[in-house]
């Protein structure tokens, strides 16, 4: 049986597991919100540790926190990340909508560890490090949680999603170079269309990713504004002058991203439009990835009875009953992630609309869905790139066969025999299962020599 220790808060005493670093307020939340399995994302905890470090440094510089206490708080934050002590942050997403309990969870764990470090180092403090009075100095949950949301979002985009997306773009650039000069039939409405170079088709995929990347980069700008310094309702009560600007500068130094204080703290606390806007760019990326994955699996369909114009890597057996079957599983995983991201976008939009008066109280669910989208997109793009896209090979013989059997090549005859006569050629060739050349000559629209002169599919791109 676990041993317990007694902790207290403003409501009284609480029994906390002896090995836990958290205190009374975390324990109350842990017991009162046993809802689901979704814990506060690690990215949020890491962001809190950054802002607690920055706040301690600035509080010491402004003379409202003992420098030794600030150093212990900073060292405690570093040790949590360095030793991966995330088991001490057990709270669920489904808690208070302001994220107050997760802010206090961080405050309590940092205070506990800071006091432990002081004891280890033989440092005598005038009073023990307190979760509220020291770690949370000059702050409120109402400005720290939205600040942590922005730090976590920017970090996840810059350090994970965007580099992964750039690698897939590079893969498509390489495939474009490898397939220069390969001409195939284009398709619109799932029907045969005029020719296209395979490199041109791939460039379309690349363009979808590059456009999404630019949109995501553009969406980061509003996320660089931080709410810290607004405290409870945006007025900055109990916050020393200059704290907001200085702490944003510290966060920028700690993260390498150009964070700034939001000039309008009232908007920063209640408005979540920056995250809605940014996730809209993620949804656009998801939509483009859905299109690319569908193209790839259609082109790879078969291997004998489908289009079969490309081959993709065979990574695992595709059926428990059909021997030798291989399925486009990476495409399926990527499209499922796209669906999840689109669903998350709806949840984020609804959550952002609940900014009643001076505070939004749907922040945990909003950032949980946002970070899940970034994480899933990052992992799915990396997997698709490594296990599918890099191994795409054009089946050139199949492409050539399909190209020369396409009735839509008749389009190149329009300037010579007119649209309606060209349509008659295509219909005759289709009904009689003959070539466009034979149909055109039989109808007397062109001589054999003239047809051969103007009918050059490879030059139609």
């Amino acid at each position: 049986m676990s041993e317990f220790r007694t902790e207290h808060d403003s409501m009284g005493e609480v029994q906390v597991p002896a090995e836990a670093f958290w205190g009374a307020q975390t324990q109350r939340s842990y017991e009162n919100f046993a809802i689901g399995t979704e814990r506060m994302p690690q990215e949020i905890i890491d962001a809190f540790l950054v802002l607690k470090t920055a706040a301690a440094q600035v509080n010491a510089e402004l003379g409202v926190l003992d420098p030794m206490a600030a150093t212990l708080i900073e060292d405690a934050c570093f040790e949590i990340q360095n030793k991966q002590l995330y088991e001490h942050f057990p709270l669920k997403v489904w808690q208070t909508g302001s994220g107050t309990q997760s802010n206090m969870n961080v405050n309590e764990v940092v205070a506990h560890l800071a006091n432990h470090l002081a004891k280890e180092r033989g440092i005598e403090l005038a009073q023990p490090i307190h979760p509220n009075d020291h770690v949370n100095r000059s702050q409120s949950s109402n400005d720290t949680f939205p600040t942590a949301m922005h730090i976590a979002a920017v970090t996840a985009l810059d350090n994970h999603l965007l580099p992964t997306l750039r690698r897939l773009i590079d893969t498509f650039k390489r495939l474009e170079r490898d397939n220069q000069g390969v001409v195939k039939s284009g398709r619109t409405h799932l029907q045969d269309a005029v020719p296209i170079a395979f490199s041109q088709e791939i460039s379309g995929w690349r363009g979808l990713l590059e456009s999404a990347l630019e949109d995501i980069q553009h969406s980061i700008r509003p996320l660089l504004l931080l709410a810290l310094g607004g405290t409870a309702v945006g007025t900055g009560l109990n916050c020393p002058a200059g704290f907001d600007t200085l702490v944003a500068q510290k966060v920028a130094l700690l993260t390498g991203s150009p964070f700034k204080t939001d000039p309008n703290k009232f908007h920063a606390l209640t408005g979540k439009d920056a995250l809605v806007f940014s996730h809209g760019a993620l949804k656009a990326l998801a939509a483009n990835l859905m299109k690319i994955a569908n193209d790839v699996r259609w082109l790879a369909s078969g291997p004998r009875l489908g289009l079969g114009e490309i081959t993709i890597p065979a990574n695992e057996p595709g059926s428990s009953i059909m021997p030798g079957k291989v399925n486009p599983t990476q495409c399926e995983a990527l499209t499922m992630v796209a669906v999840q991201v689109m669903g998350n976008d709806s949840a984020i939009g609804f959550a952002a609309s609940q900014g009643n008066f001076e505070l939004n109280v749907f922040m945990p669910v909003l950032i949980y869905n946002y970070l899940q989208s970034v994480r899933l997109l990052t992992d799915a793009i990396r997997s698709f790139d490594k296990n599918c896209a890099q191994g795409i090979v054009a089946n050139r013989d199949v492409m050539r066969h399909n190209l020369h059997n396409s009735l839509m090549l008749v389009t190149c005859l329009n300037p010579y025999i007119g649209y309606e006569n060209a349509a008659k050629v295509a219909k005759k060739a289709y009904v009689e299962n003959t070539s466009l050349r034979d149909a055109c000559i039989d109808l007397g629209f062109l001589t054999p020599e003239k047809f051969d002169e103007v009918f050059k599919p490879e030059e139609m791109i």
Side-chain angles (χ1 to χ4, degrees):
M1 181 177 293
S2 298
E3 295 183 358
F4 293 86
R5 70 176 191 273
T6 300
E7 292 279 352
H8 74 277
D9 59 13
S10 60
M11 294 183 69
E13 293 186 342
V14 177
Q15 294 297 299
V16 175
E19 70 278 6
F21 286 6
W22 63 76
Q25 293 197 48
T26 301
Q27 188 65 30
R28 291 186 193 280
S29 178
Y30 185 71
E31 294 174 1
N32 293 337
F33 295 94
I35 303 172
T37 59
E38 296 83 4
R39 287 168 56 167
M40 191 60 64
Q42 182 177 318
E43 297 96 328
I44 285 292
I45 305 304
D46 287 336
F48 262 114
L49 296 173
V50 168
L51 75 87
K52 296 297 176 183
T53 297
Q57 292 175 349
V58 173
N59 279 325
E61 291 175 10
L62 295 177
V64 296
L65 182 65
D66 177 67
M68 181 54 68
T71 297
L72 290 168
I73 290 170
E74 182 177 354
D75 291 349
C77 290
F78 175 79
E79 187 148 331
I80 291 167
Q81 285 189 299
N82 189 48
K83 293 186 176 180
Q84 298 285 291
L85 302 176
Y86 296 105
E87 69 271 18
H88 298 286
F89 303 93
L91 300 188
K92 303 293 176 60
V93 170
W94 320 108
Q95 54 168 278
T96 175
S98 62
T100 298
Q101 289 142 6
S102 280
N103 178 42
M104 285 308 304
N105 182 195
V106 175
N107 290 334
E108 289 178 343
V109 173
V110 171
H112 179 96
L113 189 53
N115 287 320
H116 177 74
L117 292 175
K119 185 177 180 180
E120 269 189 345
R121 299 171 183 177
I123 298 172
E124 293 188 12
L125 296 167
Q127 55 180 311
I129 304 295
H130 190 277
N132 297 80
D133 294 337
H134 301 120
V135 185
N136 201 59
R137 184 81 179 188
S138 309
Q139 305 153 60
S140 163
S141 297
N142 295 356
D143 66 350
T144 58
F145 201 89
T147 295
M149 291 167 73
H150 280 206
I151 294 171
V154 172
T155 301
L157 294 176
D158 278 342
N159 294 352
H160 301 290
L161 179 57
L162 293 180
T164 303
L165 185 53
R166 290 187 184 100
R167 285 193 289 271
L168 181 55
I169 290 170
D170 288 340
T171 293
F172 285 142
K173 287 180 179 178
R174 192 262 300 167
L175 287 171
E176 283 180 69
R177 293 192 300 269
D178 292 349
N179 289 280
Q180 287 294 326
V182 179
V183 181
K184 62 184 290 291
S185 178
R187 293 179 179 86
T188 58
H189 303 270
L190 295 181
Q191 303 294 307
D192 305 340
V194 295
I196 185 174
F198 188 38
S199 59
Q200 292 173 327
E201 192 166 40
I202 297 169
S203 77
W205 301 340
R206 171 178 53 81
L208 290 168
L209 300 181
E210 290 174 336
S211 174
L213 186 144
E214 290 177 6
D215 289 343
I216 294 169
Q217 288 175 318
H218 182 67
S219 80
I220 289 175
R221 296 173 194 169
L223 295 173
L224 294 171
L225 297 177
L226 301 182
L228 207 59
T231 65
V233 295
T235 60
L237 181 67
N238 292 341
C239 179
F243 175 84
D244 57 350
T245 300
L246 290 172
V247 80
Q249 292 173 358
K250 296 286 188 184
V251 171
L253 287 173
L254 290 167
T255 61
S257 297
F259 288 104
K260 296 181 180 179
T261 190
D262 194 320
N264 188 330
K265 303 297 190 298
F266 306 102
H267 165 254
L269 266 60
T270 196
K272 296 294 162 275
D273 42 327
L275 285 158
V276 173
F277 178 58
S278 182
H279 197 273
L282 299 182
K283 182 176 71 172
L285 171 61
N288 289 352
L289 289 168
M290 177 77 81
K291 181 264 191 295
I292 293 169
N294 280 335
D295 281 359
V296 169
R297 61 178 166 180
W298 272 106
L299 290 172
S301 61
R304 291 187 173 177
L305 305 182
L307 295 179
E309 291 193 342
I310 65 172
T311 298
I312 58 177
N315 298 317
E316 66 277 317
S319 172
S320 62
I321 189 173
M322 293 176 282
K325 195 173 194 300
V326 178
N327 296 328
T329 50
Q330 290 296 320
C331 296
E332 292 166 5
L334 185 57
T335 52
M336 284 193 289
V337 164
V339 167
Q340 183 65 50
V341 171
M342 292 175 188
N344 286 350
D345 194 69
S346 295
I348 287 169
F350 282 121
S353 71
Q354 301 306 304
N356 299 322
F357 302 115
E358 277 65 61
L359 185 69
N360 179 287
V361 291
F362 283 69
M363 289 190 286
V365 67
L366 194 161
I367 195 60
Y368 176 82
N369 280 280
Y370 182 98
L371 292 172
Q372 184 194 58
S373 289
V374 176
R375 196 180 311 114
L376 288 176
L377 286 168
T378 300
D379 291 348
I381 291 169
R382 182 185 298 113
S383 182
F384 178 77
D385 183 23
K386 175 185 176 183
N387 299 310
C388 182
Q390 292 181 20
I392 289 175
V393 176
N395 293 333
R396 301 189 180 197
D397 290 341
V398 176
M399 288 182 176
R400 188 179 303 109
H401 172 79
N402 289 343
L403 172 65
H404 285 272
N405 279 277
S406 171
L407 294 176
M408 290 306 99
L409 297 178
V410 76
T411 306
C412 71
L413 302 180
N414 286 0
Y416 305 97
I417 63 175
Y419 180 93
E420 292 191 10
N421 284 340
K424 292 176 183 178
V425 170
K427 291 176 182 177
K428 179 178 175 64
Y430 176 70
V431 171
E432 297 180 2
N433 194 26
T434 187
S435 68
L436 292 173
R437 186 178 190 277
D438 290 344
C440 185
I441 294 168
D442 286 349
L443 289 170
F445 294 144
L446 291 175
T447 65
E449 294 76 18
K450 186 62 175 178
F451 184 92
D452 293 340
E453 177 187 336
V454 301
F455 189 80
K456 297 179 179 179
E458 282 76 13
E459 296 180 5
M460 292 175 65
I461 61 173

